[in-house]
Amino acid sequence: DTEVTQTPKHLVMGMTNKKSLKCEQHMGHRAMYWYKQKAKKPPELMFVYSYEKLSINESVPSRFSPECPNSSLLNLHLHALQPEDSALYLCASSQDRDRGGSWWTQYFGPGTRLLVL
Amino acid sequence: GQNIDQPTEMTATEGAIVQINCTYQTSGFNGLFWYQQHAGEAPTFLSYNVLDGLEEKGRFSSFLSRSKGYSYLLLKELQMKDSASYLCAVRDDRGSTLGRLYFGRGTQLTVWP
C-alpha cells in the first residue's frame, strides 16, 4: 500500500481566511513533505519533516505554517494568503529522509487544489 | 545549484517506443527518479536509479550514466494513457540539501492513435 491521502481535494478561500490542509499516511513512513505546484511547472519543495521534526524550510512565507502532530499526519495552516498562492499543494512521504535507495522514494498524495480570491 | 534539463514536449504514436532524456549537473548526486504526472493529478513514482545501468519494469525502463550526468526513460508499446508529463528528479545530498529532491521541468508526452 503506497497511499497518501489529502483533504480537502479543492479549496477556495479569501485573502483574510484561515484554513488548513491535511495529509495522512499509514505506511509507517518517517519523512513527510509539502510541495507547491503551479500549472505546467514542476513541484517546488516547501517543507520537509523527518521523524516529526521540521528539517527543511525552503524560505516559505510565514503565511504558510506546517505542523506534524504525529508520524502519520502532516498539516499546512494557511492564513492571509495572496492570489499568487493559488496552486496544487502536494503532500508526499518516504520511509526515511536520510537513508538511500527505496527508503527514500517519495510517494505523493492526490493534492489539494487551492484558489485564493 | 542543480541544473536538470529535459525536453519540454514529445509526441509519438500508439504502439511505438519513445525515449525521454534527462541531463543533470550536481555534486552531491545520490539517485535519480522518474515520475509520471497526468494533468491535474499527483506525480506517480515510476523508477529509481543510483548505479549505472538499466532498470526494467514492464513497458518502462530507465537508464543512468553517472559519469555523463545522463538518464533516459524508455517507454515501449505506447498506449494512449501514457500521455502525461514525465518528471526527472535528482536527489542531491550536500549538507543542508540532505533529503531534497530537485525536479526537472517535465516532458509533456502526447501519444496519438
Side-chain angles (χ1 to χ4, degrees):
Chain A
D1 181 11
T2 55
E3 187 178 5
V4 177
T5 59
Q6 289 186 245
T7 56
K9 288 186 179 178
H10 301 276
L11 179 63
V12 180
M13 61 187 289
M15 289 189 283
T16 58
N17 292 156
K18 282 187 183 180
K19 296 286 184 182
S20 296
L21 309 185
K22 296 187 185 302
C23 174
E24 191 167 3
Q25 56 86 16
H26 293 289
M27 296 179 278
H29 288 181
R30 302 314 299 269
M32 296 185 78
Y33 312 77
W34 278 116
Y35 288 86
K36 171 183 176 181
Q37 186 176 28
K38 297 280 232 179
K40 298 189 187 298
K41 301 284 188 185
E44 297 174 21
L45 183 67
M46 300 175 73
F47 303 104
V48 179
Y49 273 84
S50 179
Y51 290 81
E52 297 147 59
K53 287 188 168 51
L54 183 65
S55 61
I56 295 178
N57 177 341
E58 289 290 305
S59 301
V60 178
S62 60
R63 57 186 185 269
F64 294 92
S65 174
E67 178 197 17
C68 190
N70 59 56
S71 60
S72 300
L73 291 173
L74 186 65
N75 298 323
L76 186 63
H77 302 298
L78 314 173
H79 174 55
L81 294 194
Q82 304 296 310
E84 59 263 30
D85 296 322
S86 298
L88 179 67
Y89 287 84
L90 294 163
C91 172
S93 71
S94 65
Q95 283 184 287
D96 198 287
R97 187 202 71 161
D98 299 330
R99 293 192 235 194
S102 62
W103 287 86
W104 201 84
T105 299
Q106 294 185 27
Y107 296 94
F108 287 83
T112 293
R113 188 160 297 283
L114 174 68
L115 178 61
V116 182
L117 300 176
Chain B
Q2 291 65 32
N3 189 4
I4 302 171
D5 194 35
Q6 52 181 131
T8 306
E9 293 179 332
M10 296 184 74
T11 60
T13 53
E14 248 185 323
I17 299 173
V18 72
Q19 178 174 312
I20 303 174
N21 296 325
C22 172
T23 59
Y24 63 89
Q25 291 177 316
T26 180
S27 56
F29 178 83
N30 197 12
L32 187 144
F33 298 78
W34 283 96
Y35 284 86
Q36 179 193 61
Q37 187 174 25
H38 287 98
E41 298 182 10
T44 304
F45 168 71
L46 289 178
S47 69
Y48 165 72
N49 296 71
V50 68
L51 300 176
D52 287 356
L54 188 68
E55 295 282 341
E56 296 186 78
K57 264 191 193 180
R59 293 189 300 115
F60 294 1
S61 304
S62 57
F63 171 83
L64 177 68
S65 168
R66 292 178 66 137
S67 61
K68 295 181 180 176
Y70 167 70
S71 173
Y72 67 72
L73 180 69
L74 192 71
L75 293 78
K76 302 176 187 173
E77 300 168 19
L78 280 174
Q79 303 174 10
M80 299 290 287
K81 66 178 182 180
D82 297 329
S83 293
S85 180
Y86 290 86
L87 299 162
C88 171
V90 171
R91 175 173 172 171
D92 188 326
D93 287 344
R94 280 179 301 141
S96 64
T97 67
L98 179 67
R100 203 190 188 289
L101 195 62
Y102 293 88
F103 284 88
R105 296 172 63 89
T107 298
Q108 182 62 46
L109 173 67
T110 303
V111 180
W112 299 102

